[in-house]
Amino acid sequence: MAALEELIRGFGKWDEVEGSPGPMGATWVESLRAYNFALYSRRATGVTLLLYAKDDPFTPVYEYRLNARRNKSGRIWHCCVRETDANGATLYAYRVEGPYEPESGNRFDREKILLDPFAHSVYFPPGYDRELAKQRGPNEGRAPLGVLPQRENGFDWGWDAPPRHSHDLVVYELHVKGFTARGNSGVSPGKRGTFAGLIEKIPYLRQLGVTAVELMPVHQFDPQEGIYWGYMTLNFFAPHLAYAYDEPIDEFRRMVKAFHAARIEVWLDVVYNHTSEGSADGPTYSYRGIDNRSYYLLDADRRYRDDSGCGNTLRCDHPAVRSLVLESLRFWSDQMRVDGFRFDLASILTRKSDGSLDLDNPPLIADIGFLAARNGARLIAEAWDIQTSLLGRAFPGINWRQWNGEFRDEIRDFVRGKPGMVGALIQRLYGSDDLFPDSPEDAYRPYQSVNFVTAHDGFCLYDLVSYDRKHNEANGHGNRDGTNDNRSWNCGWEGDENVPDCVMALRRRQIKNFFTLLMLANGTPMFCAGDEFMNTQRGNNNPYNQDNETTWLNWDLLEQNGDMFRFFRHMIAFRKAHPSIARSHYWREDVSWYGMGREVDFSPRGQTMAYCLHGERLGDGDIYVMVNGGARSARFRIQEGEAEEWGRVVDTSLPCPQDIAEPGEEPTLGSLDYAVGGRSVVALYRPARHDGGRVGEP
């Protein structure tokens, strides 16, 4: 608002009559007691602003047909409407005129009611109709509308101090609704599945020990699309209405403030690569009807490019799209105080208008980087799309973290028993310097690797050890959707019916193996909500449309599997207590690699390895890890120190509570020979010989 008033003062009185071309969207100008509107459309031949009262979304209380000679600057249409002329309106939309010529890429429809891409709140009228938006012709009273900005009273952030974690960063991916939707979540009935509901679960998250939550998409999506995950964005500013118990924007702010008070960072999964308008058969809500060729990537024949797999791809090198993305990020960072952004299918952000990749200096990636440098936001890329993979140094966002799909795949392979994976396991535990090299020229850091075994996409952790194949029949696609490359192993029994005790015991051990390796690896660890108490989705590895108990966490399992929760909690605490594990640099000379004896078994049949991580340079003790991926017990000879120096922290083959020791109660070894059970991980700790070291890099 202040920026707009400065602009108006700078241009004199003209803008009071004609409007200002910036900022984009609708803005309340207090000094004028007026609204300013600005809309980008290069190819429109006419634009009409419509203002509505909330009790009648059919009939505008005010219409303003913009004059291209007075209300247009370059490619931006704009006008200024006095409060007295708005007739008490609270909602707004546009009609945009132009040619309907799909063969040339234009899809204007002068009868369609269109949502402003920069609206900060969205209203769905009672007669809202997605199907009508798919057809040409009028849809008055049935289209989403923007909410006019109100006079800003200001949110009281108080003493909010956003946390900034380093070696103790542990990321927890969750779905806002699914986390608390069930009646057994312990959340107040009216607040289940909302931002307010997450506030009530903060004590649980603190007990677990996670230090960042990564929320699956919270941007407004189409409530009639039948999508649960939220990856089909309708509007990039408004919080999704169904996730709010109260007014959405302030409720989200209260949630962020509460997380910060608990020293937990808030990251958002954001989808700036496509929109909910989908393919040519999809609905016309906004971008398609305002300027299809500017907002979307089109092939030479003017069909939609579908690098996202969702029907369309945003034209990310176009100034209009860049402005939209940057203003959205600025809003969520500055006004909502979000700490980080995970970019879905981030390789699309590098695509040029002809569909090729710009890996030298993609403008949007550079713009986002500069914005993040200004406000300190963390940037995380899913560095691939359905056409290409840019994982590692191929991705041009130099300082970005990246979801490491290689870590996921190779750790899964090793733990399920695939031989010959010892070298890959060492590479991933070390921090994936093959993907993020720290040469003087490249200078990547290990924390740029976001290590994960499970995420929303694919099997959850319990299903990973319980199903050999996906079971997605409920999704309605004949079990053809979702990946077939799961790298899972059901431990000898498919599913959950009549599972033998020995199989269930092995599944528990495998879950602990996965999590132990994740917590011991250099890099940034992330795991999926519910994995800590063996939540299941019954073998569905793509439940994107399952807004039901398939995806809503079953909190009864927390009590049933309290031993697993205890293991996760202690393993997280162990990682956070030892800064030698997660470093800003690679372990280098501080790690020694071994096998069952002195030499590592890199043979094609190898399934065992060990290492000793020395922590003296960081004022920490030493950690000795032995890993047996084979089915049979293996006798290791510890290669460093004396037996009485080592305390056993973890042995995943043992039952609770022997599987992981309480801090300070680690049993001392009686011998340097240790029998590591089949499919097991053992971690030992040797305290520092002196207490003088300061935590941090030398």
Side-chain angles (χ1 to χ4, degrees):
M1 182 174 69
L4 177 61
E5 293 195 43
E6 290 293 332
L7 183 62
I8 288 176
R9 283 196 292 270
F11 280 88
K13 296 292 184 180
W14 295 334
D15 299 300
E16 298 182 22
V17 176
E18 300 171 357
S20 167
M24 298 297 292
T27 308
W28 170 253
V29 187
E30 181 65 32
S31 62
L32 299 179
R33 308 287 299 175
Y35 298 100
N36 189 83
F37 298 89
L39 180 76
Y40 179 96
S41 182
R42 176 180 179 178
R43 297 171 181 83
T45 58
V47 173
T48 301
L49 172 70
L50 309 170
L51 302 185
Y52 299 87
K54 188 174 182 179
D55 58 359
D56 185 4
F58 283 87
T59 308
V61 296
Y62 179 83
E63 292 192 34
Y64 188 100
R65 182 174 175 80
L66 280 65
N67 184 307
R69 295 190 181 277
R70 289 194 314 160
N71 304 113
K72 187 168 183 265
S73 298
R75 297 164 182 175
I76 299 178
W77 301 75
H78 50 81
C79 66
C80 186
V81 178
R82 299 282 178 170
E83 183 181 33
T84 52
D85 293 330
N87 296 322
T90 59
L91 308 170
Y92 75 107
Y94 293 98
R95 284 196 181 95
V96 179
E97 300 169 30
Y100 181 80
E101 299 170 345
E103 66 279 4
S104 66
N106 294 314
R107 293 179 177 272
F108 294 98
D109 185 343
R110 64 184 301 170
E111 295 183 294
K112 274 284 180 283
I113 305 300
L114 300 175
L115 175 68
D116 179 6
F118 286 82
H120 284 200
S121 296
V122 179
Y123 174 76
F124 295 92
Y128 169 67
D129 191 338
R130 172 182 172 83
E131 293 304 314
L132 194 59
K134 293 181 178 180
Q135 307 167 23
R136 294 195 63 193
N139 62 340
E140 290 97 338
R142 301 180 184 278
L145 306 174
V147 179
L148 287 173
Q150 304 300 306
R151 302 175 185 88
E152 181 63 62
N153 295 321
F155 180 78
D156 182 11
W157 285 100
W159 295 100
D160 177 63
R164 188 75 174 183
H165 296 283
S166 55
H167 77 276
D168 59 340
L169 180 58
V170 178
V171 185
Y172 187 75
E173 188 196 35
L174 65 85
H175 188 282
V176 171
K177 180 174 183 179
F179 195 61
T180 64
R182 285 208 193 202
N184 59 11
S185 66
V187 168
S188 303
K191 297 181 180 179
R192 293 170 189 158
T194 68
F195 303 124
L198 291 186
I199 296 175
E200 294 191 14
K201 297 301 289 188
I202 287 177
Y204 169 81
L205 296 174
R206 282 180 57 84
Q207 182 186 17
L208 180 58
V210 298
T211 52
V213 291
E214 182 175 299
L215 306 182
M216 290 174 64
V218 302
H219 291 162
Q220 182 65 59
F221 57 92
D222 184 351
Q224 291 185 358
E225 191 168 6
I227 302 296
Y228 167 72
W229 277 351
Y231 285 92
M232 298 293 282
T233 309
L234 170 66
N235 174 276
F236 295 105
F237 295 86
H240 188 59
L241 286 168
Y243 294 166
Y245 166 76
D246 200 350
E247 193 282 320
I249 290 179
D250 278 354
E251 183 175 326
F252 185 91
R253 289 168 169 165
R254 287 193 295 272
M255 179 198 71
V256 171
K257 183 177 178 181
F259 273 119
H260 286 176
R263 306 297 298 159
I264 298 175
E265 299 181 32
V266 178
W267 299 1
L268 295 188
D269 192 338
V270 290
V271 189
Y272 295 117
N273 59 79
H274 69 278
T275 79
S276 65
E277 290 187 320
S279 66
D281 297 328
T284 297
Y285 288 133
S286 180
Y287 320 94
R288 193 196 312 276
I290 292 171
D291 193 348
N292 189 61
R293 290 176 61 182
S294 293
Y295 278 105
Y296 294 119
L297 272 182
L298 305 178
D299 285 325
D301 62 1
R302 301 307 183 186
R303 296 176 184 270
Y304 290 104
R305 280 187 62 98
D306 190 13
D307 302 295
S308 66
C310 298
N312 64 52
T313 303
L314 280 171
R315 188 179 172 185
C316 290
D317 71 339
H318 192 280
V321 176
R322 287 165 59 192
S323 174
L324 176 69
V325 172
L326 293 171
E327 285 304 312
S328 171
L329 290 171
R330 188 175 289 114
F331 170 75
W332 287 95
S333 181
D334 293 351
Q335 302 300 316
M336 311 294 263
R337 301 205 179 182
V338 168
D339 304 292
F341 300 92
R342 179 267 187 188
F343 292 79
D344 180 69
L345 302 181
S347 60
I348 287 176
L349 307 184
T350 72
R351 292 199 180 275
K352 296 187 286 188
S353 291
D354 62 2
S356 64
L357 301 177
D358 180 356
L359 301 183
D360 294 323
N361 188 29
L364 183 54
I365 295 288
D367 291 344
I368 292 171
F370 285 126
L371 178 63
R374 178 184 70 84
N375 58 30
R378 301 187 191 268
L379 304 177
I380 306 94
E382 182 186 37
W384 57 80
D385 57 48
I386 66 170
Q387 301 292 342
T388 190
S389 174
L390 301 178
L391 179 60
R393 59 181 170 179
F395 185 74
I398 300 300
N399 296 317
W400 293 42
R401 285 174 165 85
Q402 298 179 35
W403 273 28
N404 190 342
E406 291 292 317
F407 184 97
R408 172 200 60 207
D409 293 345
E410 292 176 354
I411 297 298
R412 285 186 178 192
D413 277 342
F414 181 89
V415 173
R416 69 177 172 144
K418 182 178 180 180
M421 297 297 297
V422 170
L425 176 63
I426 289 175
Q427 189 91 70
R428 301 307 152 219
L429 292 173
Y430 185 69
S432 296
D433 64 335
D434 59 328
L435 300 172
F436 304 97
D438 66 341
S439 64
E441 178 183 0
D442 293 304
Y444 284 95
R445 305 296 187 91
Y447 58 72
Q448 291 182 254
S449 172
V450 176
N451 301 330
F452 66 103
V453 176
T454 60
H456 68 276
D457 192 3
F459 280 145
C460 58
L461 192 51
Y462 177 75
D463 290 1
L464 186 65
V465 300
S466 304
Y467 294 89
D468 276 356
R469 57 190 181 277
K470 66 187 182 185
H471 295 265
N472 297 0
E473 291 81 5
N475 298 348
H477 306 294
N479 205 33
R480 294 184 300 274
D481 62 308
T483 182
N484 293 316
D485 183 19
N486 295 295
R487 307 188 189 210
S488 61
W489 179 49
N490 63 17
C491 297
W493 192 275
E494 186 75 1
D496 259 350
E497 296 297 325
N498 305 312
V499 183
D501 291 343
C502 61
V503 170
M504 186 57 71
L506 180 55
R507 288 178 179 177
R508 289 176 176 271
R509 185 186 307 177
Q510 291 286 75
I511 289 172
K512 289 186 285 185
N513 291 337
F514 277 121
F515 197 69
T516 299
L517 293 174
L518 178 65
M519 288 296 110
L520 292 176
N522 201 0
T524 300
M526 182 193 77
F527 67 103
C528 201
D531 283 349
E532 69 274 18
F533 52 76
M534 300 168 61
N535 190 68
T536 178
Q537 294 176 162
R538 304 299 182 190
N540 193 328
N541 74 354
N542 187 43
Y544 75 99
N545 60 359
Q546 297 299 309
D547 188 3
N548 50 52
E549 292 191 348
T550 298
T551 52
W552 302 348
L553 294 194
N554 182 1
W555 290 90
D556 288 345
L557 293 173
L558 175 60
E559 182 175 354
Q560 295 176 27
N561 300 311
D563 59 327
M564 191 62 69
F565 175 80
R566 175 185 177 273
F567 186 91
F568 273 58
R569 178 169 59 87
H570 281 311
M571 201 64 233
I572 291 171
F574 181 78
R575 178 186 180 88
K576 291 163 62 177
H578 297 290
S580 62
I581 299 175
R583 307 189 187 192
S584 67
H585 298 284
Y586 290 102
W587 294 339
R588 291 193 176 278
E589 64 272 15
D590 283 346
V591 66
S592 298
W593 302 100
Y594 303 112
M596 294 166 58
R598 194 74 184 171
E599 301 300 324
V600 182
D601 182 3
F602 288 115
S603 73
R605 302 183 68 178
Q607 291 182 287
T608 59
M609 58 82 67
Y611 66 93
C612 186
L613 179 61
H614 306 101
E616 182 178 4
R617 291 200 301 156
L618 284 80
D620 199 0
D622 300 335
I623 300 169
Y624 199 100
V625 178
M626 296 172 282
V627 185
N628 180 8
R632 296 181 178 180
S633 177
R635 183 164 294 276
F636 283 69
R637 177 72 178 181
I638 297 165
Q639 298 298 308
E640 300 196 18
E642 302 298 329
E644 61 271 15
E645 296 176 345
W646 294 103
R648 189 188 70 225
V649 178
V650 173
D651 186 335
T652 61
S653 71
L654 300 177
C656 180
Q658 288 81 28
D659 54 356
I660 188 165
E662 296 285 341
E665 298 182 9
E666 301 86 356
T668 302
L669 298 190
S671 169
L672 289 176
D673 291 320
Y674 196 102
V676 178
R679 307 189 191 278
S680 298
V681 180
V682 174
L684 314 175
Y685 181 68
R686 177 171 61 182
R689 294 184 175 86
H690 56 81
D691 299 323
R694 189 179 76 155
V695 172
E697 289 294 326

